[in-house]
C-alpha cells in the first residue's frame, strides 16, 4: 500500500507495487499499440492516454533510478560512519535507523558494530535505543534469510501399490 513519506508530500511505493504498476502500464501500452478499427473498440486506449502512460512509465523509471542512487549514497554514508565509530555513534545510529526504514538489510559489519556499541556503557535510554536497534537489525537479517531460503516442503509419497489377486 503506498504510504505518505516525509514532509514534502512524497509517496512511498514498495518494490512489489512498483513492479505491478509498471506491468499494468506495459499492458495498457500494448493494448494501445494494437491496430484499432474505424470505430473504437471497448477498452481501447486513446493516443493521448498512451502518451500519458509512456510519460508515467518514464517518470516511474526515473524515480526508481533516483531511489537506487539515494540508497547507494545512504549505504556509503553508513559505511563511513561505521568506520569512524565510536566517535560517530549518534550519526551512525541515525543513518542505520534510516536505512532500516528504507528496507535495507544490515550487513554483518553493522551487526558487529551495533553489538560493540551495546557493550559500551551509556545512559539507560541510549542503551535501550541501541538494544532495540540491534533487535530490529537481527529481525531484518532473519527475515531476509528466510525469504532467500527455498521452501523445503516434503512431497507426499505415493501410497504403496498393492497387487490385486489374480
Amino acid at each position: 500500500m503506498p504510504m505518505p513519506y516525509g514532509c514534502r508530500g512524497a509517496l512511498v511505493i514498495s518494490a512489489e507495487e512498483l513492479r505491478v504498476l509498471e506491468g499494468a502500464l506495459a499492458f495498457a501500452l500494448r493494448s494501445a499499440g494494437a491496430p484499432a478499427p474505424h470505430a473504437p473498440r471497448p477498452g481501447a486506449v486513446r493516443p493521448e492516454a498512451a502518451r500519458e502512460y509512456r510519460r508515467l512509465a518514464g517518470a516511474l523509471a526515473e524515480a526508481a533510478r533516483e531511489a537506487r542512487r539515494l540508497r547507494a549514497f545512504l549505504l556509503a554514508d553508513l559505511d563511513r560512519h561505521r568506520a569512524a565509530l565510536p566517535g560517530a555513534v549518534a550519526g551512525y545510529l541515525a543513518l542505520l535507523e534510516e536505512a532500516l526504514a528504507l528496507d535495507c538489510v544490515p550487513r554483518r559489519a553493522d551487526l558487529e558494530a551495533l553489538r560493540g556499541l551495546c557493550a559500551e556503557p551509556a545512559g539507560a535510554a541510549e542503551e535501550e535505543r541501541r538494544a532495540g536497534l540491534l533487535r530490529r537489525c537481527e529481525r531484518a537479517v532473519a527475515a531476509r534469510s528466510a525469504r532467500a531460503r527455498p521452501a523445503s516442503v516434503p512431497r507426499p509419497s505415493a501410497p504403496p501399490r498393492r497387487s490385486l489377486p489374480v
Side-chain angles (χ1 to χ4, degrees):
M1 172 69 100
M3 299 188 55
Y5 180 75
C7 60
R8 294 184 190 99
L11 196 63
V12 175
I13 297 176
S14 73
E16 180 62 27
E17 291 168 333
L18 185 59
R19 281 192 291 275
V20 169
L21 185 56
E22 287 173 337
L25 285 170
F27 178 77
L29 286 171
R30 277 195 305 274
S31 67
H38 296 294
R41 58 186 161 82
V45 179
R46 299 180 325 272
E48 56 273 3
R51 279 192 298 278
E52 289 296 316
Y53 292 163
R54 284 188 197 91
R55 190 177 66 71
L56 179 57
L60 285 172
E62 176 63 27
R65 283 191 299 275
E66 181 67 10
R68 284 190 299 272
R69 188 187 71 76
L70 289 174
R71 185 182 195 123
F73 179 78
L74 173 66
L75 293 176
D77 208 16
L78 190 62
D79 288 343
R80 284 190 293 278
H81 277 73
R82 185 177 53 246
L85 287 174
V89 68
Y92 175 72
L93 295 177
L95 287 171
L96 190 56
E97 286 175 334
E98 187 178 343
L100 285 172
L102 294 174
D103 288 332
C104 294
V105 178
R107 300 175 184 151
R108 181 184 312 266
D110 292 314
L111 291 173
E112 291 170 3
L114 204 46
R115 286 184 185 117
L117 290 172
C118 286
E120 290 186 13
E126 183 62 17
E127 283 181 355
E128 182 56 35
R129 175 183 180 213
R130 293 174 185 183
L133 193 52
L134 178 59
R135 284 191 300 273
R136 282 180 60 198
C137 288
E138 289 172 340
R139 280 195 305 265
V141 169
R144 177 179 164 205
S145 63
R147 283 191 308 264
R149 219 176 303 131
S152 58
V153 178
R155 292 185 179 194
S157 59
R161 293 186 181 190
R162 297 183 184 173
S163 58
L164 297 174
V166 182

